[in-house]
Each structure stands twice: as C-alpha cells, then as structure tokens.
Amino acid sequence: EIVLTQSPATLSLSPGERATLSCGASQSVSSSYLAWYQQKPGLAPRLLIYDASSRATGIPDRFSGSGSGTDFTLTISRLEPEDFAVYYCQQYGSSPWTFGQGTKVEIK
Amino acid sequence: EVQLVQSGAEVKKPGESLKISCKGSGYSFTSYWIGWVRQMPGKGLEWMGIIYPGDSDTRYSPSFQGQVTISADKSISTAYLQWSSLKASDTAMYYCARHPGYSSWADYWGQGTLVTVSS
C-alpha cells in the first residue's frame, strides 16, 4: 500500500499570500495518478486537481498542481477567504487507493 | 446536472445490520465507477472500495475487505454500502463518489451519510 505523507499539517497564512502544500509518496505513483481535494467543515470533499496537474472543471486558475514519482505539490497562488480549508492528496495508481492525512490551511 | 444523493443519517446499536444508499442522476450510471470513503469523527479520508454498476465488478481496500459489502442496483441507479454487524468503531461519515474510470479521481461526491453506532 502506498502511504502518502502531507506537509505541513497546518499552514497559517493571510489572504493574498501563496500556499504551497506537499504530498510525498512511500513509492512512486504510477502515471502521476494523483488528485487533490478541498474539504470545508460539514461538507463533502471537492475535486481540485487530477492526474497531478490537471484542474477540474470550474476550479480557479489560482490552484495548480505539479510533481511526479514520489513528490507532488499543490500551489494556491493567492489565497482567497474561501480557500481556508483542509486539503487532501489521493493516489489512484496502485490499489488500494490511499489518501494523505490532510493539510489544514488556516487564517493567520 | 450530475448528482449523488445519499440516504439519511442512521443511529444503530452494536451488532445491528445496516445498508446505506447512494443514488446517481444526471449521467449514465452504468458507465462510471462508484467509490465509498469513510471519515471518522475529526479524522481524514479513507478509501473503502469501488464498484462498476455496469457489471457489478467490485474491489475492496484490504482494510475493509470482509467488514462491509458494496453493491449496486443499476435498474434504479443506486449503489449501496452495508454492514452485517455494526461496531462502535463504524461510527463515521460515509461518502460515495463517482469515478470516471477504475484508476481515476473522484469527480462528484454525495453529501455524506452519518452513521452513529452506540449502545
């Protein structure tokens, strides 16, 4: 099973700042089969990025994904108030699919 | 509009059985996979398993194999997650989600079903 480790656990930033979230895999994720989701309290997760760098439908271009192999990054170029949430990475290249433990982006 | 609508919250006792549902609409239900994800209180997301309603091909995470059963009824565009004997540790929010393929992301999610198991 591929273990995904997200860092940092919590990111304290102000609106307008840049957020960089990391997701490291215990072994290579085949074909960059990695997604990022955003979850706000009391709501279901929302797909942001798939295949490591493709933005999902309707996702603003301030969200971008990069990486391959074992190291992946989600970047939010300028934080908007609605971006403060928990972010999860997930790999779907090797069964069982697995999630990282999440990074909380909070208002500083 | 693609929608996944899950059944309502449940409160059960340990040892009881339960089946929760996820009804898809706005797309061809038999052409996409449906996955299930657990989120225990205050914790992260855990992938449980996935089913292809077109032919009921089902795969489980080893952590959940034998603990739950995933099924689907394509005639009513509904997927199910069931337990034969609940434990207190099954208390969690359960989400269904649509996957365009087997090895793929989850593009649409249900609203979640909260299952509480308590004596």
Side-chain angles (χ1 to χ4, degrees):
Chain A
E1 170 174 320
I2 295 180
V3 177
L4 299 179
T5 302
Q6 292 186 239
S7 61
T10 304
L11 200 49
S12 299
L13 295 168
S14 300
E17 289 194 293
R18 182 184 186 91
T20 302
L21 288 66
S22 296
C23 176
S26 60
Q27 52 190 284
S28 184
V29 176
S30 65
S31 304
S32 295
Y33 282 168
L34 187 117
W36 290 93
Y37 302 90
Q38 176 194 68
Q39 188 178 33
K40 297 180 180 178
L43 295 179
R46 176 175 74 142
L47 176 68
L48 300 175
I49 301 288
Y50 63 93
D51 290 349
S53 60
S54 297
R55 255 189 311 276
T57 303
I59 301 303
D61 60 8
R62 65 180 180 273
F63 291 92
S64 63
S66 63
S68 64
T70 60
D71 294 298
F72 298 87
T73 301
L74 174 70
T75 301
I76 311 171
S77 59
R78 287 177 55 87
L79 283 163
E80 297 288 340
E82 62 268 27
D83 299 336
F84 292 92
V86 179
Y87 293 83
Y88 294 95
C89 57
Q90 182 205 18
Q91 67 82 23
Y92 43 90
S94 176
S95 185
W97 312 157
T98 48
F99 289 92
Q101 82 281 15
T103 289
K104 182 179 182 180
V105 179
E106 64 176 24
I107 300 176
K108 187 174 181 180
Chain B
E1 179 195 6
V2 173
Q3 283 194 309
L4 294 174
V5 178
Q6 298 186 228
S7 50
E10 301 274 2
V11 179
K12 292 289 190 179
K13 291 181 167 33
E16 292 186 330
S17 62
L18 176 64
K19 192 173 190 177
I20 63 175
S21 66
C22 169
K23 183 173 176 61
S25 63
Y27 72 99
S28 175
F29 187 71
T30 54
S31 299
Y32 292 79
W33 293 74
I34 294 286
W36 287 93
V37 172
R38 182 175 78 175
Q39 187 167 38
M40 299 178 78
K43 302 298 184 183
L45 306 172
E46 301 172 88
W47 183 78
M48 303 175 71
I50 195 167
I51 187 166
Y52 188 69
D55 62 7
S56 293
D57 184 6
T58 308
R59 319 287 175 89
Y60 293 92
S61 166
S63 299
F64 292 92
Q65 179 87 49
Q67 308 305 307
V68 297
T69 300
I70 294 170
S71 60
D73 184 341
K74 61 186 179 183
S75 69
I76 54 171
S77 300
T78 301
Y80 301 96
L81 178 66
Q82 69 180 94
W83 296 260
S84 58
S85 180
L86 286 159
K87 303 185 271 292
S89 57
D90 293 317
T91 294
M93 181 71 80
Y94 293 88
Y95 294 103
C96 64
R98 190 186 83 159
H99 297 252
Y102 172 61
S103 288
S104 78
W105 55 94
D107 58 0
Y108 287 91
W109 293 68
Q111 83 278 17
T113 296
L114 180 62
V115 174
T116 303
V117 184
S118 174
S119 55

